[in-house]
């Protein structure tokens, strides 16, 4: 009889601890670095097609930054509010048959809100999806001449999390797809990000 009572008490205590661990949202802080790719050069080439211009894409790595705060719920899912700095995109614009070229540089950043719905694959690994709204500001600079544009568009992606052993945070990996509707074209980014977040 004592063994049954002890076993029942242990099961009850474990259940209470698990409920406390998953009860209510936790505040989170996080950040990530990304390698950002876009169709900037392709869109520039389309816009200037037939006008005698030659576009050479800069294939260098464009590093982006993501900083955010939010609330985690159901162990690994989260609501996030953050700032996204996209990696600078650039291309060399020349005139066919003439020497020399001009450098076109595109900078983009802005605030966003997103929700991540995560599902357990194992005790520490979660996989899920992201959907969010990105407010963006673009600056196109061609040899000192700058043009700006802004707007808001939805984005989506795939996200993975590996929880730390003490569940105080997680390593994150994500691939997102952004499409910004510009006048006469759509600028698309596909960042691959690696980061870390902490639960407070």
């Amino acid at each position: 009889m004592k063994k049954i009572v002890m076993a029942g008490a242990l099961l009850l205590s474990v259940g209470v601890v698990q409920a406390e661990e998953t009860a209510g949202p936790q505040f989170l802080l996080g950040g990530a670095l990304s390698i950002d790719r876009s169709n900037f050069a392709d869109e520039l080439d389309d816009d200037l097609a037939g006008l005698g211009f030659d576009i050479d894409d800069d294939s260098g790595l464009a590093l982006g930054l993501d900083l955010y705060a939010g609330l985690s719920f159901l162990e690994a899912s989260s609501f996030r509010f953050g700032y996204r700095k996209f990696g600078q995109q650039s291309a060399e614009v020349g005139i066919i048959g003439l020497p020399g070229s001009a450098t076109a540089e595109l900078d983009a950043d802005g605030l966003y809100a997103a929700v991540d719905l995560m599902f357990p694959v194992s005790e520490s690994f979660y996989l899920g999806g992201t959907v969010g709204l990105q407010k963006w500001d673009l600056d196109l600079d061609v040899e000192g001449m700058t043009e700006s544009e802004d707007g808001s568009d939805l984005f989506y992606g795939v996200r993975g999390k590996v929880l730390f052993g003490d569940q105080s945070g997680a390593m994150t990996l994500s691939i997102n797809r952004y499409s910004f509707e510009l006048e006469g074209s759509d600028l698309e980014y596909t960042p691959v990000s690696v980061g870390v977040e902490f639960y407070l």
Side-chain angles (χ1 to χ4, degrees), residues 33-115:
L33 292 175
S34 63
I35 298 176
D36 295 356
R37 285 291 205 178
S38 81
N39 65 341
F40 172 57
D42 292 336
E43 288 296 305
L44 201 59
D45 192 30
D46 289 344
D47 291 342
L48 300 177
L51 299 178
F53 289 95
D54 180 44
I55 309 300
D56 183 18
D57 185 13
D58 179 4
S59 58
L61 294 180
L63 296 179
L65 176 67
D66 182 8
L67 298 173
Y68 59 87
L71 295 173
S72 69
F73 62 97
L74 297 177
E75 294 184 349
S77 296
S78 55
F79 293 108
R80 292 182 291 128
F81 302 92
Y83 168 77
R84 184 74 165 81
K85 169 67 175 173
F86 294 90
Q88 186 182 77
Q89 307 295 302
S90 62
E92 295 297 318
V93 181
I95 298 176
I96 297 174
L98 294 179
S101 63
T103 301
E105 295 178 336
L106 182 71
D107 289 298
D109 68 348
L111 302 176
Y112 71 87
V115 59

Side-chain angles (χ1 to χ4, degrees):
M1 183 68 176
K2 288 183 179 179
K3 290 182 179 179
I4 294 175
V5 172
M6 288 294 293
L10 284 172
L11 286 174
L12 181 60
S13 65
V14 169
V16 168
V17 169
Q18 289 180 338
E20 288 177 350
E21 287 179 351
T22 60
Q26 290 180 286
F27 186 69
L28 68 86
L29 289 174
L33 292 175
S34 63
I35 298 176
D36 295 356
R37 285 291 205 178
S38 81
N39 65 341
F40 172 57
D42 292 336
E43 288 296 305
L44 201 59
D45 192 30
D46 289 344
D47 291 342
L48 300 177
L51 299 178
F53 289 95
D54 180 44
I55 309 300
D56 183 18
D57 185 13
D58 179 4
S59 58
L61 294 180
L63 296 179
L65 176 67
D66 182 8
L67 298 173
Y68 59 87
L71 295 173
S72 69
F73 62 97
L74 297 177
E75 294 184 349
S77 296
S78 55
F79 293 108
R80 292 182 291 128
F81 302 92
Y83 168 77
R84 184 74 165 81
K85 169 67 175 173
F86 294 90
Q88 186 182 77
Q89 307 295 302
S90 62
E92 295 297 318
V93 181
I95 298 176
I96 297 174
L98 294 179
S101 63
T103 301
E105 295 178 336
L106 182 71
D107 289 298
D109 68 348
L111 302 176
Y112 71 87
V115 59
D116 310 304
L117 293 179
M118 310 297 294
F119 303 93
V121 176
S122 68
E123 287 187 3
S124 60
F125 178 59
Y126 286 74
L127 187 64
T130 298
V131 64
L133 179 66
Q134 176 75 53
K135 182 177 179 354
W136 48 267
D137 294 285
L138 299 177
D139 291 316
L140 175 61
D141 182 277
V142 181
E143 301 298 333
M145 294 183 294
T146 303
E147 183 178 344
S148 300
E149 195 166 344
D150 58 55
S152 298
D153 286 289
L154 294 174
F155 69 93
Y156 60 91
V158 177
R159 190 173 182 86
K161 290 185 183 182
V162 180
L163 297 180
F164 299 155
D166 58 1
Q167 296 193 347
S168 63
M171 295 289 295
T172 63
L173 172 66
S174 63
I175 302 173
N176 289 318
R177 181 72 169 191
Y178 298 83
S179 182
F180 302 154
E181 294 186 9
L182 308 179
E183 186 176 347
S185 63
D186 288 338
L187 179 67
E188 297 177 348
Y189 283 89
T190 307
V192 178
S193 305
V194 177
V196 63
E197 60 186 31
F198 297 97
Y199 310 132
L200 308 176

